[in-house]
């Protein structure tokens, strides 16, 4: 049977594309259930979009590429869909929208929209090979020991990146794109915790504090979380996408208040107290103890000159450390790099040199910040490809 469209990958982008691609659409996935990354996202509540989503929240070798898709299917369009399905949601922080109940509500919503659109879904189906034919594409699959061949006019690569391999992530989209001479930009783990050798921060594991963190000239004001293996929390995940290996990262532990002025004021009221004790009034005690050792803070507060207090404030507003690396794809929320956007139409997501081949979602070199932006790219790019396919006769 000749399908009009076959979509590889029943994740966020693939399902969204299936909703809009029109009749004769088949979605194939090797997983036992659709939308597995949706299910585990946001602690099981799915941070499905961000009310502030815009092109500036994305990394790509071509920062303009995402503009067309994001403007034609916005966060407000997706919110309308969520509301239409009666899914209760709330804003957490910084525009992040989460389901009140469960991420499974979003999966169910997409499945019911797919059903309404007449799209079919085949799970537990592994892709053996993809070939170009005169009529389009031929896909050899394997399902529960049986081989089956499918043909289609349009083929959509929506299998994501390499992040979280235990969820079944592979580099399949890159392999197929490469097979058809689409350029692949180097990939690496993004939105991922940093690691440090010898359990450097192990005694601080579990301590969190609001900071401003920077890497490669880009800063984020969110929390840092110390872990057994290194540094995590929203601020660290955000800057990990900008960090380059062997570069230091910079952390300001007091972005919203002047530590020098605070210590000077406390010198009048708490002068007899140990410097480390007073520092513990301004940040978590364990963290203050750590920096008392690291910065060799000794003596009472009353004995410290302005110059000494300023030096402490400067050290804690520009704390520089160089990670050994990151936790890699194992825990990364996204994959940076991937299918070069130069090979694709920004309006339709179709390969310029190979009509009928499309790439959407995380497989493409468009990576969002933490906070619902990557889901928005999935919805927007899936809609762009789906509506373009639907318009074809």
């Amino acid at each position: 049977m000749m399908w009009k469209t076959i979509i590889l990958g029943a994740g966020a982008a693939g399902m969204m594309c299936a909703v809009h691609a029109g009749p004769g659409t088949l979605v194939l996935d090797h997983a036992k259930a659709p939308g597995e990354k949706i299910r585990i996202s946001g602690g099981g509540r799915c941070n499905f979009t961000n009310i502030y989503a815009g092109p500036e929240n994305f990394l790509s070798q071509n920062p303009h590429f995402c503009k067309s898709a994001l403007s034609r299917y916005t966060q407000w369009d997706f919110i309308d869909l969520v509301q239409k399905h009666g899914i209760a949601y709330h804003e957490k922080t910084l525009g992040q929208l989460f389901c009140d109940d469960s991420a499974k509500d979003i999966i169910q919503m997409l499945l019911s929209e797919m059903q309404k659109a007449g799209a079919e879904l085949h799970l537990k189906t592994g892709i053996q090979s993809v070939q170009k034919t005169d009529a389009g594409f031929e896909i050899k699959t394997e399902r529960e020991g049986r081989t089956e061949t499918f043909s289609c006019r349009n083929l959509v690569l929506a299998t994501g990146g390499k992040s979280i391999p235990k969820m079944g992530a592979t580099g399949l989209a890159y392999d197929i794109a490469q097979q058809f001479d689409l350029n692949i930009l180097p990939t690496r783990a993004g939105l991922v915790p940093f690691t440090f050798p010898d359990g450097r921060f192990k005694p601080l594991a579990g301590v969190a504090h609001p900071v401003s963190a920077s890497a490669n000239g880009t800063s984020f004001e969110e929390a840092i979380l110390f872990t057994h293996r290194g540094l995590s929390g929203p601020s660290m995940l955000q800057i990990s996408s900008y960090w380059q290996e062997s570069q230091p990262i910079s952390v300001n532990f007091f972005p919203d208040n002047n530590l020098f002025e605070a210590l000077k004021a406390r010198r009048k009221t708490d002068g007899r107290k140990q410097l480390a004790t007073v520092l513990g009034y301004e940040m978590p005690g364990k963290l203050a103890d750590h920096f008392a050792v690291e910065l060799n803070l000794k003596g009472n507060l009353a004995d410290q000159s302005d110059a000494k207090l300023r030096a402490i404030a400067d050290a804690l507003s520009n704390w520089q450390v160089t990670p050994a690396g990151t936790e890699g794809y194992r825990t990364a929320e996204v994959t940076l790099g991937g299918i070069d956007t130069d090979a694709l139409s920004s309006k339709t997501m179709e390969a310029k040199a190979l009509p009928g081949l499309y790439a959407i979602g995380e497989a493409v070199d468009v990576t969002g910040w933490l906070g619902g932006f990557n889901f928005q790219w999935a919805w927007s790019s899936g809609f762009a490809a789906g509506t373009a396919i639907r318009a074809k006769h």
Side-chain angles (χ1 to χ4, degrees), residues 321-342:
V321 282
T322 303
T326 71
E327 291 190 5
Y329 293 120
R330 188 178 65 81
T331 61
E333 294 202 16
V334 287
T335 304
L336 291 148
I339 298 169
D340 192 341
T341 58
D342 282 356

Side-chain angles (χ1 to χ4, degrees), residues 272-307:
R272 291 186 189 171
K273 290 184 177 161
Q274 285 287 306
L275 195 46
T277 306
V278 176
L279 193 56
Y281 299 151
E282 305 293 333
M283 68 194 324
K286 269 190 181 177
L287 202 49
D289 292 344
H290 172 85
F291 283 119
V293 174
E294 188 174 304
L295 303 175
N296 196 22
L297 306 182
K298 292 196 169 83
N300 293 341
L301 184 56
D303 300 332
Q304 313 301 321
S305 66
D306 278 8

Side-chain angles (χ1 to χ4, degrees), residues 157 173-174 177 182-185 337-341 343-344 359 363-366:
L157 306 180
Y174 311 140
L182 269 62
N183 187 39
I184 306 297
L185 297 170
I339 298 169
D340 192 341
T341 58
L344 306 173
V364 177
D365 172 37
V366 174

Side-chain angles (χ1 to χ4, degrees), residues 156-325:
V156 184
L157 306 180
T159 57
K162 297 178 183 175
S163 4
I164 321 188
K166 75 165 193 282
M167 301 290 298
T170 68
L172 180 67
Y174 311 140
D175 297 340
I176 297 170
Q178 238 166 349
Q179 182 190 326
F180 295 121
D181 297 325
L182 269 62
N183 187 39
I184 306 297
L185 297 170
T187 60
R188 61 190 180 90
L191 300 181
V192 64
F194 291 114
T195 56
F196 288 80
D198 312 320
R200 178 171 170 184
F201 301 117
K202 207 172 177 181
L204 292 172
V207 173
H209 190 63
V211 300
S212 172
S214 318
N216 226 352
T218 302
S219 302
F220 289 90
E221 267 198 47
E222 290 190 69
I224 191 172
L225 172 68
F226 291 83
T227 72
H228 289 282
R229 291 186 294 274
L231 298 174
S232 188
S235 67
M236 294 297 106
L237 298 184
Q238 295 281 35
I239 63 168
S240 72
S241 294
Y242 293 86
W243 178 74
Q244 300 291 339
E245 223 165 302
S246 77
Q247 275 189 346
I249 59 172
S250 170
V251 179
N252 178 357
F253 284 95
F254 299 94
D256 296 326
N257 76 9
N258 187 321
L259 181 62
F260 170 64
E261 293 298 341
L263 290 175
K264 233 168 72 164
R266 284 195 183 275
R267 192 168 54 185
K268 293 176 185 159
T269 55
D270 296 302
R272 291 186 189 171
K273 290 184 177 161
Q274 285 287 306
L275 195 46
T277 306
V278 176
L279 193 56
Y281 299 151
E282 305 293 333
M283 68 194 324
K286 269 190 181 177
L287 202 49
D289 292 344
H290 172 85
F291 283 119
V293 174
E294 188 174 304
L295 303 175
N296 196 22
L297 306 182
K298 292 196 169 83
N300 293 341
L301 184 56
D303 300 332
Q304 313 301 321
S305 66
D306 278 8
K308 176 69 177 169
L309 295 185
R310 196 175 286 286
I312 295 165
D314 288 349
L316 293 177
S317 61
N318 187 22
W319 182 62
Q320 299 223 343
V321 282
T322 303

